[in-house]
Amino acid sequence: MRPPSRNLRQRAAVGLTGALVAAVALSGCDAITGAKPPTPDAAAKTLAAALAGGDVNAVRFDGATSANVAAFLAAAVGDLKDLKRTVTGDQVTEPKGNERTSTATLTYAWTLPTATTAATAGSTATATGTATSAASTSAPATSTGTATSTGTASATPTGAASGPSDAVWTYTTTASLTRAQDDTWHVAWTPKLFAPDLTGSEKLALATAPAKRGDIVGADNTPLMTQRATAQVGIDKTKLDAAQNASSATALAQLVGTDPAAYAKAVTGAGAKQFVPIITVRSDDPLVTSQRGAVTAIPGAVILGGSGVVGPTPTFARSLLGTVGDATAEIIAKSNGALKTGDVVGLSGLEQRYDARLRGSSGVTVQATGTDAAGKKTSRTLFTVPPVDGKPLQITLDAKAQNIGEAVLAAGPTDTPTALVAIRPSTGEILASANGPGSNGLTIGTTGQTAPGSTFKVVTALALLRAGLTPDATVQCTPTVTVAGRSFKNYNDYPTDKLGPISLRTAFANSCNTAFISNAGAVTQGDLAAAAASLGVGIDLDLGFPAYLGSVPDTASGTDHAATMIGQSKVLVSPMDMATVTASVMHGAVVRPSLIRDNPAVAGFPTPAKPLTPAEAQALQGLMGAVVSEGSGAFLAANGVTAAKTGTAEYGTATPPLTHAWMVAGRGDLAVAVYVEKGDSGSKTAGPLLKQFLEAYAG
């Protein structure tokens, strides 16, 4: 056979080349380079990053320009513009064969701050609501792609009571992606990519709902600190000339009884149209009733009605329970973002210490707000976390006992600090902790640190009993006694017929200083400190409220040791501590004073190294009973008192020295201590106040 001609071979080569060209045309340049077409994964991640940060220039959109989308996002983010959000792009569908479309799931997570509280733990919420207007875009749509969104959302509370608790709003949207002829992936723009069913006219709005503050509740579930009708007194700067700011503020502060200079500074420094409150009082306060005319006579001074968390009376355990009001700039700065201007918080006392528990957690709602086709305003809820009300704080104060205690002190000396504390020996519950008008707002009853004087002889008597003395043992009561060159004497009104050799019982009943000091050699300073601990003095323990449990040095000698025998030198106690000593004697074991009923963080008293024995308790009960039956507390016998002790303690540099006046007493299941910083004696100054309390309080 003849070989093909040259022309035939050329025609065959041309045909083969044409086939190859056709193959290349069908497969694209990838057939030559071997590269695969770009996948949509990178585009999905770029889109997610853009929607999280707001910079969309790296994304190619169909249906809107990057500038259009950026402008829409800047407006649509609304109240959430300063909140943290993350967006992830995943679940990207891979195109099959010659497909040029894909979808990606965008998962959003917004951190929405709510109030501070441990009570939010476990709260949940779901996104609700549907769109009320048709979908639209911020630029004419040309893409046939679609986007869908689902409104699944959950609240994920984080943090503890000392820090912010955040709700995390999560939801997903679906993006449609199209591979263009240049092999780049484009995103079909729709507002639904940004939030569930969002329209072009809508933007995100954030609203908070305050929680109801928990009450502080006393004995018998009596509300003590609770929401009541109140009035705010202050200066309305719109009602006076600027030249009157300082003079009006000074006049109002003087009327109210607060620092004129500080309030004048606050008023002059406030905005020209501000109302500057000076005090919030109950609606029945004299400032609102009988003194209203005096208030309103001051240029710019006004009284505004409202409600607030206050106690049953203006003075009711105020220094202990505390106050509630708007968070100060300092409190907000220390809250680590948990508080903002306008939040109501505890400002002092128990209201401040237990603020997170009492305040609860404010609710938060995200809405999509806009207008429909008719121009009507629309609003739909996308996510909500309901407020969690604060938890009440149960305390032991008895409203009747507290009111009586305060009334008694108000009728007593007002030019010196005074305090009255009543404790139930069987439980240690504090029934009353009253502070008199002269206490200047301090919690003298539970935190005062002062010498107990002869009331400390209860402790000294226990040490002497442990050293071998009995109530009938003979001791020497002389007019004076000298220790290391220092002369000690009895109080001025000591009965002269009780001098000489007398029993320990008589010395205790009449409070003979020299008899106790003469026996200083029978006990060491460590013995006194141990005896004090057996009765609840000198224990370092957080009771969950402002409290001082006393201090007795365990080493001392000479005059310091002698002075300790009669409750002076470096011995310090609070009125609550001396009520605890009395309660411990009556109970027959050390008593832990308690105020907070359900505070698991408060541990019990540590067991004393030498616990009080039944025999010791019985002997002390007899000694304190003798104070009523034959000694300085005889005036309390008619009030059913079975145990008592008077006391004075010298202080200062005056001649003669000033004296603290003390008296403690026990009746049934009640132990009471009364303290007057400057008084004549326990029986003359503190005793009558204690008697009045017992006569009015039958508990």
Side-chain angles (χ1 to χ4, degrees), residues 581-610:
V581 169
T582 306
S584 296
V585 170
M586 298 177 69
H587 182 56
V590 67
V591 168
R592 183 195 78 182
S594 65
L595 181 70
I596 312 301
R597 287 192 181 277
D598 57 346
N599 186 1
V602 176
F605 259 30
T607 301
K610 297 186 67 173

Side-chain angles (χ1 to χ4, degrees), residues 175-214:
S176 291
L177 297 90
T178 302
R179 181 182 170 196
Q181 291 301 319
D182 62 356
D183 284 336
T184 59
W185 286 92
H186 291 207
V187 178
W189 168 249
T190 170
K192 294 180 181 180
L193 285 176
F194 191 54
D197 298 321
L198 199 67
T199 70
S201 71
E202 290 180 317
K203 65 179 180 179
L204 302 179
L206 189 66
T208 58
K212 181 182 181 299
R213 190 173 182 85

Side-chain angles (χ1 to χ4, degrees), residues 49-446:
L51 293 174
D55 183 357
V56 296
N57 289 321
V59 182
R60 298 193 180 189
F61 290 102
D62 289 337
T65 66
S66 295
N68 292 148
V69 174
F72 172 80
L73 293 177
V77 72
D79 294 341
L80 277 64
K81 64 183 180 63
D82 295 325
L83 301 184
K84 177 184 177 182
R85 70 177 182 268
T86 61
V87 187
T88 57
D90 52 19
Q91 300 181 33
V92 181
T93 59
E94 294 295 333
K96 296 180 180 179
N98 293 327
E99 291 181 356
R100 306 181 72 84
T101 60
S102 176
T103 61
T105 298
L106 302 174
T107 301
Y108 287 75
W110 296 79
T111 301
L112 309 176
T114 60
T116 295
T117 179
T120 53
S123 65
T124 59
T126 57
T128 58
T130 57
T132 55
S133 60
S136 61
T137 61
S138 56
T142 58
S143 171
T144 58
T146 60
T148 61
S149 61
T150 59
T152 56
S154 63
T156 309
T158 61
S162 59
S165 175
D166 297 326
V168 179
W169 174 35
T170 62
Y171 57 88
T172 61
T173 65
T174 302
S176 291
L177 297 90
T178 302
R179 181 182 170 196
Q181 291 301 319
D182 62 356
D183 284 336
T184 59
W185 286 92
H186 291 207
V187 178
W189 168 249
T190 170
K192 294 180 181 180
L193 285 176
F194 191 54
D197 298 321
L198 199 67
T199 70
S201 71
E202 290 180 317
K203 65 179 180 179
L204 302 179
L206 189 66
T208 58
K212 181 182 181 299
R213 190 173 182 85
D215 292 340
I216 295 182
V217 181
D220 300 323
N221 290 319
T222 302
L224 301 179
M225 294 291 287
T226 189
Q227 199 80 15
R228 291 183 169 93
T230 60
Q232 272 194 320
V233 181
I235 296 293
D236 182 351
K237 295 187 67 173
T238 65
K239 297 183 180 298
L240 77 170
D241 296 331
Q244 297 174 292
N245 286 342
S247 59
S248 288
T250 299
L252 183 58
Q254 290 172 339
L255 178 64
V256 171
T258 60
D259 185 350
Y263 185 57
K265 181 179 180 181
V267 171
T268 55
K273 297 183 178 181
Q274 275 192 264
F275 167 70
V276 186
I278 189 171
I279 192 171
T280 299
V281 297
R282 292 148 201 76
S283 58
D284 59 353
D285 189 89
L287 276 174
V288 181
T289 56
S290 61
Q291 292 180 292
R292 176 179 287 270
V295 172
T296 56
I298 298 171
V302 296
I303 300 174
L304 305 179
S307 64
V309 175
V310 292
T313 70
T315 60
F316 189 94
R318 182 180 176 89
S319 58
L320 183 61
L321 300 182
T323 58
V324 175
D326 290 344
T328 64
E330 182 181 7
I331 292 175
I332 293 172
K334 292 180 178 179
S335 72
N336 296 322
L339 297 172
K340 62 184 182 302
T341 301
D343 283 343
V344 175
V345 299
L347 299 175
S348 61
L350 297 182
E351 287 285 359
Q352 183 180 50
R353 175 159 184 172
Y354 295 95
D355 181 65
R357 167 192 180 131
L358 292 166
R359 178 160 32 98
S361 172
S362 61
V364 61
T365 298
V366 180
Q367 294 179 319
T369 61
T371 56
D372 60 16
K376 182 180 178 180
K377 291 184 178 180
T378 62
S379 177
R380 57 192 178 88
T381 298
L382 302 178
F383 173 72
T384 185
V385 177
V388 178
D389 290 342
K391 183 179 179 181
L393 181 68
Q394 297 275 347
I395 66 173
T396 64
L397 284 188
D398 178 82
K400 178 182 177 182
Q402 182 69 24
N403 281 324
I404 292 172
E406 292 183 1
V408 166
L409 296 183
T414 59
D415 61 344
T416 187
T418 57
L420 182 152
V421 177
I423 290 179
R424 196 182 301 283
S426 61
T427 61
E429 295 171 335
I430 298 174
L431 304 178
S433 179
N435 300 283
S439 299
N440 298 318
L442 300 177
T443 55
I444 301 295
T446 62

Side-chain angles (χ1 to χ4, degrees), residues 620-669:
L620 291 175
Q621 291 164 6
L623 291 174
M624 295 184 74
V627 175
V628 181
S629 63
E630 59 180 273
S632 56
F635 63 94
L636 295 176
N639 299 109
V641 172
T642 59
K645 186 69 190 78
T646 55
T648 57
E650 296 180 348
Y651 72 98
T653 58
T655 303
L658 299 175
T659 54
H660 303 316
W662 285 89
M663 185 148 201
V664 298
R667 179 183 70 186
D669 197 18

